[in-house]
Amino acid sequence: MNVPFLIAWRYFRSKKKRNIISIISNISMIGVAVGTMALIIVLSVFNGLEDLVRSLYGKSDPDLKITAVQGKSFPVDAFLVNRLRTVPGVQLVTEVIEDNALLRYHERQMVVKVKGVSENYYKQSEIDSAIVDGTHQLRRNGEDFALIGAGVQHELSIALENRFAPLQLLYPRNTPGKKTLSFNPETAFNQEPILAGGVFAIEQHVDDSYIFVPLDFAQRLLRYGNRRTALEVKVGPKRALEDVKAELKQVLGSGYAVLDSDEQHVSLLKAIKVEKMFVFITFAFILLIASLNIFFSLSMLVIDKRKDVAVLMAMGATPNIIRRVFLMEGAIVAQVGAVVGLSLGVSICWLQQRFGLVSMGMATSVVDSYPVKMQASDVLWVGVAIVFITIAVSIRPALNAPQIDLRENL
């Protein structure tokens, strides 16, 4: 039988002689409940945003991306590509050339990311599902076409398949032995025309800067020859991605980096995780301030129950038992508030997932409502924070509880 817990539970359920103690105790529970609920909801929103980023970029990102550790390109030949294809689990290898170029249309121009891809690109990418106008095909009837982002189309007011005014892509021409551009624009840039064949909408950063072109077109424009900026690998369903990644690293050696989806956007995902951590710390601090009422209610409860303490000590209760009584009283108040807050937070997140109660408030948003995702680890961390806060605010009144004059209170 846990005597300190039974006494603490009786104190929690009984009406205090001083009504102010009940008020402060109730305020404490409400504060803990609201803080816990807010913490669960905010952490779930950050989890949802993280998943949203992964899903958005997943339409254009490969399972694995091979890049050079030093420099922005590396030589690629048929032997290397065939060697990679023989790795168990590798289903597809796509050659990629990606670099900045100047896009000109009529009298308007902007700097864009030109991404040249080999013909098998759409067998591993889901970008064809993000087409909002035109078609995703980069070559039709022997003619090259460009797939442009919605932001690029809007910025330059591009009309699809406008044969009277095709897109003009310009790239600085490298002259052997010279590090500066020629002042003659006809010799300073490589220039290639191409028709816009389709428009995609994935994510604002991609939509505002990317255009996709056939690989041989990118070779002519950028003068990369047999060099590639990346090799994109699609992993089959029968083998774990991490196993394929490890074997590719072993085959390629230390001069190459093999990146999974998260590593391809490590800066963005790390920023979300850092923001989530600081939000957790901030809300935990707010929860600590709200829990200070537990300190005051326990301090007043110690004064109110000093005769009970004297009786318990006269019956043989040790100071340690007395301390545990009031520690458990603080724990009960905090845990009841935490359970209520946790239940409310989980319920609100479930309702948001199911019915989308809170919308993004933007017509151009990629999702209609705020994304949320609940994780067991968040509940665990919130529980740890509440336990720490409970001990922090309850320990002082509990230590003071046995320090009474028995003769005065018996």
Side-chain angles (χ1 to χ4, degrees):
M1 181 182 296
N2 193 334
V3 175
F5 175 78
L6 293 176
I7 298 173
W9 180 250
R10 182 176 179 80
Y11 284 167
F12 175 75
R13 296 183 60 187
S14 64
K15 295 182 179 180
K16 283 75 175 178
K17 292 180 180 178
R18 303 174 191 273
N19 192 42
I20 189 64
I21 301 177
S22 298
I23 295 174
I24 296 176
S25 181
N26 292 333
I27 291 174
S28 304
M29 286 187 289
I30 294 173
V32 172
V34 172
T36 303
M37 178 186 68
L39 198 50
I40 289 294
I41 293 173
V42 171
L43 293 180
S44 298
V45 169
F46 273 99
N47 295 334
L49 290 175
E50 190 173 335
D51 271 13
L52 178 63
V53 168
R54 288 193 177 98
S55 64
L56 289 176
Y57 282 107
K59 293 182 179 179
S60 60
D61 287 346
D63 295 333
L64 295 172
K65 184 177 182 179
I66 300 171
T67 60
V69 173
Q70 293 184 344
K72 64 179 182 179
S73 66
F74 54 93
V76 174
D77 53 23
F79 175 79
L80 176 62
V81 174
N82 291 331
R83 178 69 183 88
L84 296 177
R85 287 173 180 163
T86 60
V87 173
V90 173
Q91 187 172 338
L92 203 65
V93 178
T94 301
E95 300 177 40
V96 174
I97 298 176
E98 183 177 326
D99 207 339
N100 292 326
L102 181 67
L103 174 60
R104 181 185 297 167
Y105 184 72
H106 289 305
E107 301 301 322
R108 308 180 73 176
Q109 61 187 24
M110 67 181 295
V111 176
V112 295
K113 284 270 191 183
V114 176
K115 184 171 182 176
V117 295
S118 52
E119 294 181 359
N120 61 2
Y121 179 71
Y122 291 109
K123 293 181 181 179
Q124 70 162 304
S125 171
E126 298 179 5
I127 193 174
D128 53 336
S129 64
I131 302 300
V132 295
D133 195 8
T135 179
H136 69 275
Q137 295 176 342
L138 298 179
R139 177 164 291 170
R140 303 196 296 271
N141 300 322
E143 188 175 9
D144 292 335
F145 288 86
L147 183 60
I148 61 176
V152 175
Q153 183 194 35
H154 181 267
E155 181 69 21
L156 301 185
S157 302
I158 298 172
L160 298 184
E161 299 190 35
N162 183 0
R163 298 183 181 277
F164 296 102
L167 306 178
Q168 299 292 333
L169 284 165
L170 294 88
Y171 184 77
R173 181 176 297 170
N174 296 323
T175 304
K178 292 185 179 181
K179 296 183 179 180
T180 57
L181 289 175
S182 170
F183 287 102
N184 183 359
E186 295 182 359
T187 60
F189 294 92
N190 299 325
Q191 182 171 341
E192 293 286 343
I194 191 170
L195 294 175
V199 181
F200 64 85
I202 300 175
E203 190 273 334
Q204 185 176 2
H205 172 71
V206 178
D207 300 344
D208 291 348
S209 59
Y210 269 83
I211 72 169
F212 291 81
V213 298
L215 184 67
D216 54 359
F217 177 88
Q219 283 179 287
R220 294 196 306 271
L221 173 67
L222 306 176
R223 298 294 195 269
Y224 265 62
N226 70 333
R227 302 185 70 83
R228 304 289 183 263
T229 57
L231 293 174
E232 298 185 352
V233 178
K234 182 178 182 179
V235 178
K238 296 182 180 180
R239 195 159 186 225
L241 186 139
E242 288 299 322
D243 295 338
V244 178
K245 178 181 176 181
E247 190 159 346
L248 286 174
K249 285 184 176 181
Q250 186 176 0
V251 169
L252 293 168
S254 59
Y256 298 86
V258 183
L259 310 175
D260 58 28
S261 181
D262 285 359
E263 291 170 335
Q264 293 170 42
H265 305 287
V266 62
S267 299
L268 180 58
L269 293 175
K270 185 181 290 185
I272 293 176
K273 290 183 182 296
V274 169
E275 288 180 5
K276 179 181 175 182
M277 180 187 69
F278 277 102
V279 166
F280 175 81
I281 294 173
T282 302
F283 272 81
F285 183 72
I286 294 173
L287 190 60
L288 173 62
I289 295 175
S291 300
L292 286 177
N293 288 317
I294 298 176
F295 171 83
F296 296 115
S297 65
L298 280 183
S299 298
M300 297 182 69
L301 186 64
V302 169
I303 297 173
D304 185 50
K305 301 297 183 181
R306 59 186 183 274
K307 290 188 177 180
D308 293 0
V309 172
V311 170
L312 288 171
M313 295 185 69
M315 293 173 63
T318 63
N320 185 46
I321 291 177
I322 303 301
R323 295 189 190 100
R324 287 171 58 193
V325 168
F326 290 97
L327 274 175
M328 290 202 173
E329 174 72 12
I332 290 172
V333 172
Q335 296 305 316
V336 169
V339 170
V340 172
L342 184 61
S343 301
L344 289 173
V346 170
S347 300
I348 291 173
C349 289
W350 181 82
L351 290 172
Q352 178 67 13
Q353 282 181 322
R354 187 71 181 269
F355 303 106
L357 301 178
V358 182
S359 66
M360 296 293 286
M362 297 182 292
T364 57
S365 175
V366 294
V367 290
D368 296 329
S369 58
Y370 275 94
V372 293
K373 180 184 177 182
M374 292 175 285
Q375 290 183 349
S377 58
D378 292 337
V379 177
L380 176 63
W381 280 110
V382 171
V384 171
I386 292 173
V387 169
F388 174 79
I389 290 170
T390 302
I391 295 174
V393 299
S394 303
I395 192 167
R396 186 62 185 176
L399 290 175
N400 291 336
Q403 299 175 7
I404 64 169
D405 190 341
L406 294 179
R407 292 172 298 176
E408 181 181 344
N409 292 281
L410 283 176

